[in-house]
Each structure stands twice: as C-alpha cells, then as structure tokens.
Amino acid sequence: MNRYTLHETFVVHQYSVDEWEAEPHNHNYFEIIFVERGNGHHTINGVRFPYSENDIFLLAPEDTHHFEIEKHSKFTYFKFTELLFSSKVNLPDRKYWLQRIEQLLHHPNIIPGDVISHEEDRNIIWDIHNVVLDEFKNEKIYYQEIISNAISTILSIIMRNISEKYKSNQSEILVGHSKIDQILGHIRQNVYDNDLTKINFLANKFNMSQSSISTYFKRKTGESIHQYVTKYKMKLVEYRLQHTEFTIAEIAYQLGYTDESHLTKTFKKHFFMSPKQYRKELALN
C-alpha cells in the first residue's frame, strides 16, 4: 500500500519485518506509527524504550528514530505534511490545526514513547486508523476530506494524551530546567495570545517583578522579551507564507497584529521585503 496521494501530502507505508534495516534517520514530515504486532525497542531522539502491539508513536519533522526488533513486527505509518490541513481541504478551523502543527514542529518530543495513556482513546484511534486505510485504498468520493478530518481527530486525541501526560509529569520534566527554559517554553506555547506574553503577565506567572524578569531575560538570551516574541512570530509568519494559502491579512489576525500593514512593517525589518514580495520570491524558486 506504499503510494503517495493527496498531492503527496499524505502517504501510508506498511512494513512486516523481522529485522529493521534502515539506519537511524530523520525526515521533513510528520509520522504516526501504529504497531500492529511484535515487540522490541524504539529509539526516538536518543531515548530508548520498549514497544509492543497496539502502541502508537508520533514523530515530528527532524525527530530521529529507529527500531530494534525482537519479535516479528508489523508497522503502519501515516506520513503527512502540514499541507494536509491547508485551505485546499475542507477542514474546519484550519487556524487551530496550524497552531497545533506549529507547536509540534517547534517543540522537541519531550515525552517520548507510546503517546496514548488512556485505553479508550487508543481504541478510538485504532478504529479511525482502519477508516483511513479503507479510504486511502478505495479513494471513494470525498476521501481526501475524510482522511484529512480523520488525521486531525487522531492528532486531537494524541495532543490530549500528551497534554495530560505532560501535566502529570511536569514536576519531573522541569527538574534541571532553568527558569529561562520555562519562560521560553511559555512564550512559544502562548505566542498566539498577546496578553499571555506581556511582561506583566510573565512577571506574575514566574513570581518576579517586571524589571527583574526583563533584566533576567535579557541577560540569559541577549534580547528583550519583546524582541524574542517578535522574532518567534516572524518565524511563524515565514512558515505560514511558505506552507499555507492564508492571506497576509489572515496571518496578521491569527498572530495578533492589529492589521496587515503592522505585520508588513515588522516583517520588512526582519526580511528586508514585504510578505507579498516574499511569497513572490518563493513562487519563482
């Protein structure tokens, strides 16, 4: 069943193997890996842990992984890019899904291993997995929309499990993480909401005065909080210009700018051209 469809934004690969022949590798797409049978060990970004039947893994672009197979194993891979959720597909609330994709893209896999902690959620995902395989194989009318929505549902359930697992393990995760790591993580996660990245909010959240958190942030990063937030937003703007068909005005609204002209002015300072010019350059390459 190894073939590309949906304009090469989604592919299904299935492997039934006794030995993993591929070297550790990374890629430029997302993968949801379903373990249909077998057991062994799976290493993601250098972290090794056991896998077994019915496990589900999520890999983001640039994640490195490989399997060590102990018992004959069968895997199904759903490989896709963010274009699966583009405006070409009738997916409700693409803005929300773009945010989820960007969070996965810009955050490391901090809780590696099987991503599902609730068995009822696991059963739901495996049922959806069967629907996706059927739609992918038969290509009935509206199959593209069905696959797109099915993958978004799977990701919703995975994100719910990751979020709950993260909260339950947060105290352990943050051991050894400095306060600046926590501040940066908060900013990246909440960059879409201007109120949650303002200095007064950050000061209250991290139990510091506004002047002390400003000084601390500058000393640790070499730039002000405002500069960091702006640079991070510009990274997201660039990503959306490259990978979506949102208008400049839509991108401005999504990222909390007052209007298109405000975004354009800021973008020019960083890229020495307007967002529209940037897109034209992309089209020529």
Side-chain angles (χ1 to χ4, degrees), residues 63-94:
D63 281 349
T64 300
H65 81 111
H66 68 276
F67 284 100
E68 301 166 52
I69 297 173
E70 297 175 3
K71 183 179 179 181
H72 182 83
S73 299
K74 182 178 180 181
F75 307 100
T76 296
Y77 284 55
F78 291 171
K79 301 183 180 184
F80 57 96
T81 72
E82 70 290 327
L83 293 178
L84 183 62
F85 309 109
S86 75
S87 57
K88 294 180 180 178
V89 179
N90 185 24
L91 178 71
D93 199 358
R94 290 186 299 272

Side-chain angles (χ1 to χ4, degrees), residues 23-235:
E23 293 294 323
H25 65 282
N26 56 17
H27 35 72
N28 59 359
Y29 43 79
F30 293 90
E31 290 184 345
I32 303 172
I33 303 177
F34 299 86
V35 182
E36 299 201 24
R37 60 175 176 266
N39 60 60
H41 286 82
H42 190 193
T43 300
I44 301 178
N45 298 332
V47 181
R48 184 175 181 265
F49 38 80
Y51 76 84
S52 59
E53 184 174 322
N54 291 329
D55 279 356
I56 300 170
F57 301 98
L58 174 67
L59 300 178
E62 304 306 321
D63 281 349
T64 300
H65 81 111
H66 68 276
F67 284 100
E68 301 166 52
I69 297 173
E70 297 175 3
K71 183 179 179 181
H72 182 83
S73 299
K74 182 178 180 181
F75 307 100
T76 296
Y77 284 55
F78 291 171
K79 301 183 180 184
F80 57 96
T81 72
E82 70 290 327
L83 293 178
L84 183 62
F85 309 109
S86 75
S87 57
K88 294 180 180 178
V89 179
N90 185 24
L91 178 71
D93 199 358
R94 290 186 299 272
K95 172 189 169 185
Y96 169 82
W97 271 109
L98 188 56
Q99 291 182 8
R100 301 283 74 76
I101 289 293
E102 286 170 340
Q103 287 186 7
L104 290 172
L105 184 66
H106 296 297
H107 289 73
N109 196 336
I110 58 175
I111 308 179
D114 177 34
V115 292
I116 304 300
S117 52
H118 299 292
E119 290 307 306
E120 60 271 25
D121 284 344
R122 187 185 308 279
N123 294 334
I124 293 171
I125 289 180
W126 275 97
D127 286 342
I128 299 173
H129 154 276
N130 295 335
V131 171
V132 170
L133 289 181
D134 184 68
E135 293 294 331
F136 186 79
K137 178 181 178 180
N138 295 309
E139 296 188 356
K140 299 176 183 177
I141 187 172
Y142 300 129
Y143 81 100
Q144 295 180 336
E145 286 80 2
I146 291 171
I147 289 178
S148 180
N149 282 278
I151 296 300
S152 74
T153 301
I154 290 175
L155 288 176
S156 290
I157 297 172
I158 288 176
M159 290 300 292
R160 176 169 69 193
N161 280 258
I162 289 176
S163 296
E164 291 180 2
K165 190 181 294 187
Y166 178 81
K167 289 177 182 177
S168 65
N169 291 279
Q170 191 170 30
S171 59
E172 297 179 14
I173 291 170
L174 293 179
V175 171
H177 283 62
S178 67
K179 181 165 285 189
I180 190 61
D181 292 326
Q182 298 175 43
I183 295 171
L184 292 172
H186 171 87
I187 290 173
R188 290 192 297 265
Q189 189 169 357
N190 297 281
V191 72
Y192 311 97
D193 188 332
N194 289 336
D195 290 338
L196 300 183
T197 58
K198 289 180 178 178
I199 292 177
N200 60 341
F201 182 91
L202 294 172
N204 290 332
K205 180 175 178 62
F206 294 99
N207 299 314
M208 303 173 73
S209 68
Q210 293 186 38
S211 61
S212 61
I213 195 172
S214 296
T215 301
Y216 174 77
F217 193 94
K218 177 78 171 181
R219 178 163 51 85
K220 291 292 186 178
T221 68
E223 54 193 4
S224 69
I225 292 173
H226 176 73
Q227 288 172 329
Y228 180 84
V229 170
T230 300
K231 284 177 65 175
Y232 192 75
K233 280 190 175 183
M234 289 300 102
K235 181 189 296 186

Side-chain angles (χ1 to χ4, degrees), residues 269-280:
K269 288 181 179 179
H270 287 78
F271 294 94
F272 307 104
M273 67 178 74
S274 71
K276 290 181 179 179
Q277 291 170 323
Y278 185 89
R279 263 195 171 149
K280 286 181 180 178

